[in-house]
Amino acid sequence: MCQKKGNRMSSRSHNGIFCLEGDWDDDLRIPTTMQPVFDLLAKSQNPPVPSIRRNVSTEDGLRYYLRKWIQRKYRDFPLLYLGFHGEPGGIYISGRQAITLDWLEDCLHGNCHRRVIHFGSCSTMMEHGRRLNRFLSRTGALAVCGYRTDVDWMLTAAFEVILLSGFQLHGFTRAGMRAAQRRVVREAGNLARDLRFRMVIAQ
């Protein structure tokens, strides 16, 4: 497999991924996880994309790790990946315990400068643009992205390899996010449409 010369970034560090992930299935014998995606990014990129991943099953646990993420020591992990079941405007932990955008705003308030939040969950981004812009304004995040429909897990995993690697090619600025957005449409447009992928960039 050839690597495009324009994509070589050996002299530049990557934007690390901070993943908080819930149980995807009630049957704990089914070990579904996004970890293989992060392993692939660590092995196929130059330099490797670092990641931190933690399982979360309670509201207190989610709050604990989000407050860890916004600490200065984790500034090299500016991409927050929230891997949970979802609904419009929220995610679920521990079965049907809902975490809303309001809750996340309160937890992250003003602490997400030059950071990006990705919802790896069904339908969370099915919200009015004004609501999502308010989320960006209150958290201080550079961009938020995710899906506007229920999504197939395997298709989502394939798409997110492209999405997350694309974030490594651009700076975490508004211009960089617009470039990453164009790249996703160019290289995975059909998947993006099928998954109803959406990215909102801070104004």
Side-chain angles (χ1 to χ4, degrees), residues 34-180:
M34 291 303 298
Q35 186 63 52
V37 171
F38 307 138
D39 291 343
L40 178 60
L41 291 172
K43 293 176 181 177
S44 65
Q45 300 294 300
N46 181 27
V49 181
S51 64
I52 294 171
R53 179 189 163 278
R54 293 293 184 271
N55 285 103
V56 175
S57 59
T58 66
E59 181 178 314
D60 287 343
L62 181 60
R63 180 183 293 107
Y64 172 82
Y65 285 119
L66 288 176
R67 290 180 174 172
K68 285 282 189 182
W69 175 61
I70 61 179
Q71 292 177 5
R72 182 174 176 80
K73 71 171 70 174
Y74 299 110
R75 65 185 180 276
D76 292 334
F77 296 82
L79 179 54
L80 176 65
Y81 184 107
L82 295 174
F84 299 89
H85 291 294
E87 65 173 2
I91 57 176
Y92 288 115
I93 56 176
S94 299
R96 304 300 293 177
Q97 183 179 0
I99 298 293
T100 65
L101 292 181
D102 289 339
W103 188 96
L104 291 168
E105 286 172 353
D106 290 340
C107 188
L108 297 171
H109 188 79
N111 288 298
C112 299
H113 178 64
R114 298 194 73 171
R115 297 182 185 228
V116 173
I117 299 170
H118 174 68
F119 289 102
S121 52
C122 292
S123 303
T124 301
M125 292 291 286
M126 195 188 300
E127 277 281 354
H128 196 284
R130 287 195 299 270
R131 179 67 189 87
L132 296 171
N133 280 312
R134 190 179 84 191
F135 179 80
L136 292 173
S137 177
R138 290 197 65 197
T139 61
L142 176 62
V144 61
C145 56
Y147 309 103
R148 290 174 288 175
T149 189
D150 291 348
V151 293
D152 177 83
W153 194 90
M154 288 298 292
L155 289 179
T156 303
F159 174 76
E160 287 177 348
V161 170
I162 299 170
L163 174 68
L164 298 174
S165 63
F167 279 128
Q168 309 306 318
L169 303 176
H170 307 283
F172 269 39
T173 63
R174 290 183 180 87
M177 291 301 102
R178 288 192 289 270

